[in-house]
């Protein structure tokens, strides 16, 4: 008798369920949403996102965008930098030994005293001493063989096979930083191949730079002769062969820069990467055929002396900075603002920086998943180069108690600062109603009108409603954190708009005082004293700007408090700019973000020589303000270094603008950084860009918190297993019945034959 052979065939649906179950069970034990490998939280690595796209360029001559600074300012070291903790901001030497004070020369080349009038100074000469012993980070551009010849300066296309990133080159080298590297970098400002945002300004001040640029353009044209316009393999433009008198190397460690006249604000430019050193070897290396098509250039792969070097550039995906093994180390500061000790910013006093070994930037294209990953702890900061994200979190906390509890429970740090910016409502000085006036009597009446309106506009209320409290009402044009702003001076108290209470508290003057001033201006109750016609003022704004109906309604109500009607005139941005440039607006709002931390960068917006309507729109005096007294003080102040005399002049200028009420001074915005509790030294700043080297990371605390906040979810396991068994049982019974029936049909004929 022959026995039938039975084959087990599980239903396809059961098999599929088994695979699905296995997948679900494996996911229960993993940390979801983590963009980094398991265990990476235990390394001394800072994890931060970048948004939208990779930086456009990392070439220090042309780089100027905010999203490029986390890389450029960690890799490059311009001569100067800013003290990390002190406010007002203080310039210090970075690659330079100290900040040079400059020497003044007259037209015959004779030395002038430090207090010489600015109009007598023909040139200012800076001799900047570079720190000896600074080394460039390892890079193949410096690699040499045993005979001292450069290994990678004469590459063929075949040599570049398989090389798409700098780490693909097996050999690297280095050398000492020299003054001539700064000279080379300054010469590159004139390159026709690189568009430097600083060139037009610098060409006005650096002796010979403008004519030098014309000479270089002509030489470059000769180099390119016969080349196709789209050819990216351009011949090496060696700036060592072309010099000019404005930037020279006195010796190995002394850089000399000559300026036309006196320009005290030039020192702030020396803290920007436009003046970073550039080794000629890097340009020679990247100028070789085939490099550009592989994106091997300074746009992607910077070469510097800073605490970090770029070791990975995966476009629109990931960038990695690693500690420069040849960095000399810098000492963390031991002094700052009075509150810095209590805030923990002095714990690392005297320790050697940088503290973090590696910085990984991963792309995040959407805000919601970025914030979710930050809250889970997978990013140490949601934006290392921006302060608007932290401000947004503060607003979220104010609007949502659950969100507030979550941020507080997780110890998220949101340090705030009032940065060098302002937002104000301006009165056009050329306007016949709110402007200067033609006679002394008219001028006095119009001044009282502007003062009345300034009292009526409650900027404290505006900050509370529209800025969610993230700002402070301004008393003058100069913001905190700058030299010239004194907490006990006019910059912090506007007596035209405010009173001091018995306890010293600053209070906005009552609306009755605004009504009195309005009547003295010739508009009792908001009507013309002779004609009885209502006073109607026109408020111009760009319809493409942040001008929501609720905000415009708020402005209308502020004027209505003293009986003045406000007519809203919305135009598109181009038309609004045209009206501003021609000086045909009446009232407007305007804002400014400082280019450098000097009161001059705000007071110049009130200098008559910069009046927008008088300069075809090129000036930044949007109100077209003109005051001979203010102008005289400004012309003296702009030539002065920070000190008592400059402070005294700034105080006087602020007092003049307060009395003239050329602006209703508006407010200074607050900004906030965002860091997890395991990040130390995260002081909020928008100006200091080389901040990463100062940050500290408690790796153990991060690993602990990420583990606590992202525990594997095991509870679904029994439920899923039970569900699987329930589904399996009927399928198993059905399979068994089917197999029994098949066996019975197979055996039946055999039994019959038997």
């Amino acid at each position: 008798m022959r026995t039938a052979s039975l084959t087990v065939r599980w239903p396809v649906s059961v098999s599929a369920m088994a695979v699905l179950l296995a997948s679900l069970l494996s996911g229960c034990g993993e940390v979801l949403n983590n963009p980094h490998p398991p265990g990476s939280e235990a390394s001394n690595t800072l994890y931060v996102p970048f948004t939208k796209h990779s930086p456009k360029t990392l070439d220090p001559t042309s780089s100027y965008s905010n999203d490029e600074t986390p890389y450029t300012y960690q890799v490059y070291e311009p001569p100067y930098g800013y003290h990390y903790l002190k406010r007002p901001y203080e310039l210090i030497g970075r690659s330079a030994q100290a900040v040079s004070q400059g020497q003044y020369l007259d037209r015959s080349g004779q030395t002038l005293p430090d207090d010489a009038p600015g109009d007598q100074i023909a040139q200012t000469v800076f001799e900047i001493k570079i720190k000896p012993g600074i080394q460039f980070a390892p890079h193949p551009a410096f690699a040499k063989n045993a005979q001292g010849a450069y290994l990678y300066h004469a590459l063929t296309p075949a040599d570049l096979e398989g090389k798409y990133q700098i780490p693909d080159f097996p050999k690297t080298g280095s050398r000492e930083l020299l003054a001539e590297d700064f000279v080379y970098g300054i010469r590159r400002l004139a390159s026709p191949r690189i568009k430097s945002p600083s060139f037009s300004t610098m060409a006005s001040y650096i002796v010979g730079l403008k004519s030098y640029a014309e000479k270089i353009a002509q030489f470059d044209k000769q180099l390119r002769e016969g080349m196709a316009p789209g050819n990216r393999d351009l011949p090496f433009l060696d700036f060592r062969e072309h010099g000019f008198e404005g930037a020279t190397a006195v010796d190995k460690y002394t850089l000399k820069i000559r300026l036309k006249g006196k320009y005290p604000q030039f020192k702030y430019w020396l803290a920007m990467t436009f003046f970073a050193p550039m080794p000629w070897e890097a340009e020679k290396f990247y100028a070789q055929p085939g490099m550009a098509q592989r994106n091997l250039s300074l746009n992607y792969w910077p070469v510097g002396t800073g605490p970090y070097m770029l070791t990975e550039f995966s476009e629109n995906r990931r960038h990695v900075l690693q500690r420069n093994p040849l960095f000399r180390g810098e000492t963390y500061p031991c002094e700052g603002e009075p509150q810095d000790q209590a805030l923990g910013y002095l714990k690392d006093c005297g320790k050697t920086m940088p503290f973090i070994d590696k910085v990984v930037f991963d792309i995040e294209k959407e805000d919601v998943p970025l914030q979710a990953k930050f809250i889970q702890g997978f990013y140490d900061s949601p934006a290392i180069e921006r302060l608007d994200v932290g401000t947004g979190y503060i607003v979220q906390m104010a609007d949502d108690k659950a969100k507030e509890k979550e941020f507080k429970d997780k110890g998220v740090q949101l340090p705030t600062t009032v940065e060098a910016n302002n937002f104000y409502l301006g009165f056009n000085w050329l306007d016949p109603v709110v402007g200067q006036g033609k006679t002394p009597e008219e001028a006095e009446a119009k001044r009282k009108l502007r003062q009345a309106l300034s009292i009526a506009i409650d900027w404290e209320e505006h900050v509370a409603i529209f800025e969610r409290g993230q700002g402070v009402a301004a008393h003058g044009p100069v913001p905190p954190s700058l030299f010239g702003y004194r907490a006990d001076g006019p910059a912090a108290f506007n007596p035209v708009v405010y009173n001091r209470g018995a306890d010293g508290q600053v209070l906005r003057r009552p609306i009755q005082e605004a009504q009195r001033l309005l009547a003295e201006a010739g508009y009792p109750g908001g009507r013309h004293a002779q004609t009885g016609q209502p006073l109607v003022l026109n408020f111009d704004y760009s319809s493409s700007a942040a001008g929501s109906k609720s905000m415009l309604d708020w402005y209308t109500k502020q004027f209505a408090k003293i009986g003045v009607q406000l007519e809203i005139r919305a135009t598109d941005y181009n038309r609004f700019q045209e009206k501003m440039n021609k000086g045909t607006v009446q009232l407007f709002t305007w804002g400014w973000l400082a280019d450098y931390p000097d009161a001059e960068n705000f007071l110049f917006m009130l200098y008559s020589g910069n009046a927008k309507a008088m300069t075809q729109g090129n000036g930044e005096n949007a109100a077209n303000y003109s005051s001979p007294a203010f102008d005289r003080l400004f012309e003296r102040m702009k030539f002065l270094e920070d000190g008592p005399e400059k402070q005294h002049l700034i105080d006087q200028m602020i007092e003049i603008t307060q009395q003239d009420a050329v602006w209703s001074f508006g407010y200074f915005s607050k900004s906030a950084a965002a860091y997890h509790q395991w990040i130390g030294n995260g002081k909020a700043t928008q100006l200091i860009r080389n901040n990463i080297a100062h940050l500290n990371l408690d790796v153990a605390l991060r690993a602990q918190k990420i583990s606590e906040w992202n525990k594997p979810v095991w509870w679904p396991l029994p439920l899923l297993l039970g569900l699987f068994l329930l589904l399996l049982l009927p399928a198993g019974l059905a399979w068994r019945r089917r197999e029994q029936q098949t066996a019975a049909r197979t055996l039946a004929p055999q039994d019959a034959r038997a």
Side-chain angles (χ1 to χ4, degrees), residues 60 78 95 100 148-149 169 212 220 295 324 475 520 647 717:
S95 55
S100 171
F169 293 85
Y212 177 72
D220 184 56
N295 290 336
N324 173 6
H475 287 247
E520 293 176 4
Q647 180 68 68
L717 196 155

Side-chain angles (χ1 to χ4, degrees), residues 231-254:
N231 193 333
R232 297 177 65 188
D233 290 330
L234 301 180
F236 178 36
L237 177 54
D238 190 352
F239 285 95
R240 292 176 299 169
E241 299 176 359
H242 309 277
F244 74 107
E245 62 178 318
T248 56
V250 177
D251 55 41
K252 285 179 65 175
Y253 305 119
T254 306

Side-chain angles (χ1 to χ4, degrees), residues 274-499:
F274 299 128
F275 288 88
M278 178 56 62
W280 69 268
E281 296 94 334
E283 284 233 294
K284 171 69 174 175
F285 174 80
Y286 288 128
Q288 298 176 90
M291 288 282 191
Q293 70 184 36
R294 288 171 165 79
N295 290 336
L296 292 170
S297 72
L298 288 167
N299 288 332
Y300 297 86
W301 298 99
V303 184
T305 62
Y308 293 97
M309 59 185 191
L310 193 69
T311 57
E312 182 180 342
F313 193 109
S314 299
E315 192 157 17
N316 297 331
R317 192 172 69 85
R318 173 171 292 182
H319 313 128
V320 177
L321 292 172
Q322 285 189 305
R323 181 193 291 266
N324 173 6
L326 300 180
F327 185 64
R328 64 198 176 278
E330 291 286 343
T331 302
Y332 187 86
C334 292
E335 54 182 340
E337 293 184 281
Q339 67 271 26
D340 285 349
Q341 180 74 51
L343 293 172
Y345 295 146
L346 295 176
K347 288 181 180 179
D348 290 321
C349 161
K351 295 180 181 178
T352 301
M353 304 182 294
F355 302 116
I356 292 170
D357 294 332
K358 186 177 180 181
V359 187
V360 175
F361 301 82
D362 285 303
I363 194 166
E364 290 289 344
K365 296 184 177 181
E366 302 293 337
D367 291 339
V368 172
L370 189 161
Q371 181 170 331
K373 292 173 187 177
F374 172 67
I375 292 298
Q376 287 179 274
F378 301 140
Y379 287 123
D380 301 308
S381 172
I384 201 70
E385 81 283 8
R386 291 163 44 204
L387 297 184
D388 57 329
V389 176
T391 308
Y393 288 172
I394 292 174
V395 172
Q396 287 184 36
M397 292 168 67
D399 293 343
D400 187 338
K401 292 298 180 183
K403 186 66 67 177
E404 179 183 20
K405 183 177 185 303
E406 181 178 30
F407 275 88
K408 288 183 175 179
D409 287 348
K410 293 197 170 181
V412 174
Q413 304 176 79
L414 298 168
T416 61
T417 183
V418 178
E419 285 292 296
N421 66 79
N422 70 355
F423 180 87
Y424 62 87
L425 185 144
F427 304 101
N428 183 10
W429 210 243
L430 304 178
D431 184 77
V433 178
V434 299
Q436 182 178 16
K438 296 180 180 179
T439 66
E441 293 75 20
E442 274 191 14
E444 180 63 19
K446 294 178 189 306
R447 180 183 299 111
K448 289 183 176 180
L449 170 59
R450 294 190 301 272
Q451 290 176 347
L453 295 172
S454 295
I455 293 172
I457 304 171
D458 189 342
W459 290 108
E460 287 83 2
E461 183 179 274
H462 184 284
V463 168
I465 296 173
F466 299 105
E467 302 300 318
R468 300 291 203 280
Q470 298 308 299
V472 293
H475 287 247
V478 178
S481 80
L482 299 187
F483 178 86
Y485 182 96
R486 293 189 296 117
D488 59 348
F493 180 69
N494 182 356
V496 172
V497 177
Y498 295 89
N499 274 323

